[in-house]
């Protein structure tokens, strides 16, 4: 039988040899200070090595470098930041201190006497400090405390609250908006704007345990008088922005039925230097917010919106710098459809001033003047085409019908549908579509026939349920748009189920607590209306 050959021993390559032998691919006996190969061939012999350069590091001689008895004392390592702090006063904040770490490589010189260590510092990229969310919040929490919201040191905290809490609500959560950066830059240069922002944030926060409504109102009144005096000496764009902020501060002091008392600046009658600024930030976003508030007021008061709303929504996207985002264009299309709907279904006569307080308790199915059949059908077709052609990001990523939602959320018996959207603009766009469709269906001309399509799209109850589902499942303050609040109040009047009424009341209280919008009168009016409806039923 054949004889098997013995397996040869596997050769291993050493990694402790000198640099010269490794380069020549020769086996090194690793003798110090010179190996046998380098000594025979009369070549320079050096071994690789690394060391750490310290701030208080003294140069060693060649004799010390070859000695194995001496070790590095790491307790003597000092950073450049510590040395500067010991010699000079601390002038930079902690976030600007950068620890400079340097690594030196020991290179060999080609000499016959052995290896001489040459330290050559290699700078690395600066290591920026890592700010966690807790450390960031703790820094601001120590600077801004709600217990002394009226102290002068709370101004920076109020600016922070405006930037991260009010701005997303103002620009409808538009991720591509430059409104926040632009208005904060202007506030840094213009004292009236920064004071108006502080006043707006203070009004929206409202009183707390240590402050009263009277003290908040007094300080806001002083700031308002000061801002008005200073705006008289500013240019037209700054004056328009300041006046819009003053109106917003007044907005948070009124309930929805009183929003008709707001007097926005007439931006349509502007000087030539303001015509361009009207289509750029921050006036563009503030102008869109004005249109949203006026549309919400028109829904609640059952009257036509101001004439400039449609023209403003048409021309508001003419940005001289860059085109608006597609999501914002989609949202503006919904607002424009809502404006056309309110022009179409509401009567031409303005409501009397004495009927303002009672308009919020009128039933939803109030009879108004019949609309033109052709105009109504044209607008209905445009709204349904928008709903069918909306992009994928405007669709809900999760949609559960009412009956299935009741099985998932066993603690809630309201059986409102569940809809979850990816962005605020997607949520608000769909909410505005349902509000517009609901208003059109409630004012549909008698002789008009709807085109053949999905039956649920022609049901007012389905649209009302969708609005309620969007509102009651919303947990974000920046998504409480004035139009959504008005639509929620619109559908709440005809809710007859006790569990649904309780859910809507809890939703309205949540809106008031998270946004600072006063809804006390509306809640009381709804409770009275429901009590009367139950008594008559």
């Amino acid at each position: 039988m054949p004889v098997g050959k013995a397996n040869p021993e596997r050769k291993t390559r050493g990694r402790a040899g000198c640099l010269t032998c490794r380069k020549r691919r020769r086996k090194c006996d690793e003798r110090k200070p010179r190996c046998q190969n380098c000594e025979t061939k009369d070549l320079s012999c050096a071994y690789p090595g690394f060391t750490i350069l310290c701030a208080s590091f003294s140069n060693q001689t060649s004799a010390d470098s070859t000695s194995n008895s001496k070790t590095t004392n790491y307790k003597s390592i000092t950073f450049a930041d510590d040395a500067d702090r010991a010699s000079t006063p601390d002038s930079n904040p902690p976030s600007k201190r950068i620890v400079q770490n340097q690594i030196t490589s020991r290179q060999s010189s080609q000499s016959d006497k052995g290896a001489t260590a040459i330290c050559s510092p290699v700078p690395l990229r600066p290591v920026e400090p890592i700010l966690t969310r807790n450390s960031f919040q703790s820094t601001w929490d120590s600077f801004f405390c709600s217990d002394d919201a009226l102290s002068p040191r709370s101004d920076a905290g109020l600016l922070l609250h405006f930037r991260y809490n009010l701005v997303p609500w103002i620009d409808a959560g538009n991720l591509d908006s430059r409104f926040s950066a632009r208005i904060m830059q202007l506030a840094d240069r213009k004292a009236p704007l920064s004071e108006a922002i502080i006043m707006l944030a203070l009004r929206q926060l409202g009183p707390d345990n240590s402050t009263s409504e009277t003290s908040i109102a007094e300080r806001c009144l002083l700031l308002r008088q000061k801002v008005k005096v200073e705006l008289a000496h500013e240019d037209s764009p700054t004056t328009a922005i300041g006046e819009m902020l003053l109106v917003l501060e007044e907005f948070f002091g009124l309930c929805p039925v009183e929003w008709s008392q707001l007097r926005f600046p007439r931006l349509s009658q502007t000087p030539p230097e303001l015509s361009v600024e009207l289509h750029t930030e921050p006036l563009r976003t503030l102008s869109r917010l004005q249109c949203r508030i006026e549309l919400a007021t028109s829904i609640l008061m059952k009257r036509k919106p101001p004439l400039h709303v449609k023209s403003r929504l048409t021309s508001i996207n003419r940005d001289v710098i860059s085109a608006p985002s597609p999501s914002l264009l989609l949202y503006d299309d919904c607002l424009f459809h809502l404006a056309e709907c309110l022009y179409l279904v509401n009567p031409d006569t303005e409501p009397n001033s004495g009927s303002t307080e009672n308009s919020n308790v009128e039933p939803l199915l109030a009879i108004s003047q019949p609309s033109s059949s052709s105009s109504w059908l044209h607008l209905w077709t445009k709204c349904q085409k928008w709903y069918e052609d909306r992009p994928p990001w405007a669709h809900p990523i999760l949609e559960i019908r009412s009956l299935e939602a009741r099985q998932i959320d066993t603690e809630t018996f309201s059986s409102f549908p569940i809809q979850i959207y990816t962005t605020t603009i997607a949520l608000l766009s769909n909410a505005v579509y349902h509000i517009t469709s609901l208003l059109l269906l409630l004012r549909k001309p008698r002789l008009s026939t709807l085109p053949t399509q999905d039956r649920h799209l022609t049901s007012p109850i389905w649209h009302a349920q969708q609005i309620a589902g969007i509102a009651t499942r919303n947990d974000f303050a920046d998504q409480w748009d004035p139009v959504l609040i008005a639509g929620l109040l619109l559908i709440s009047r005809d809710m007859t189920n006790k569990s649904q009424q309780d859910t809507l009341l809890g939703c309205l209280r949540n809106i008031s607590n998270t946004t600072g919008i006063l809804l006390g009168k509306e809640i009381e009016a709804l409770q009275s209306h429901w009590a009367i409806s139950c008594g008559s039923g």
Side-chain angles (χ1 to χ4, degrees), residues 258-317:
E258 299 172 343
W259 287 350
S260 58
Q261 302 176 11
L262 297 174
R263 295 295 178 262
F264 289 93
R266 296 181 176 273
L267 298 180
S268 58
Q269 301 176 359
T270 56
E273 62 269 16
L274 190 58
S275 58
V276 177
E277 296 287 342
L278 184 59
H279 305 292
T280 56
E281 298 297 354
L283 273 179
R284 185 175 68 171
T285 297
L286 292 174
S287 180
R288 182 182 291 106
L289 177 60
Q290 174 184 349
C291 295
R292 288 152 52 192
I293 295 176
E294 290 173 338
L295 289 175
T297 305
S298 178
I299 294 174
L300 296 173
M301 305 302 297
K302 295 181 174 58
R303 66 183 185 188
K304 296 181 183 295
L307 296 175
H308 62 81
V309 172
K310 288 177 62 176
S311 60
R312 187 80 56 81
L313 290 174
T314 304
S315 62
I316 202 171
N317 287 317

Side-chain angles (χ1 to χ4, degrees), residues 40 43-44 58 64 74 120 147 170 174 178 220 232 234 240 304 328 353 370 407-409 435 441 448 509:
T40 301
L43 299 175
S44 60
S58 59
D64 294 336
Y74 289 98
S120 59
D147 294 338
I170 293 175
N174 181 21
R178 298 190 301 270
C220 290
E234 296 291 342
K304 296 181 183 295
L328 200 59
S353 58
Q407 298 175 359
I408 294 175
D409 192 358
I435 294 173
L441 289 174
S448 298
R509 294 189 182 99

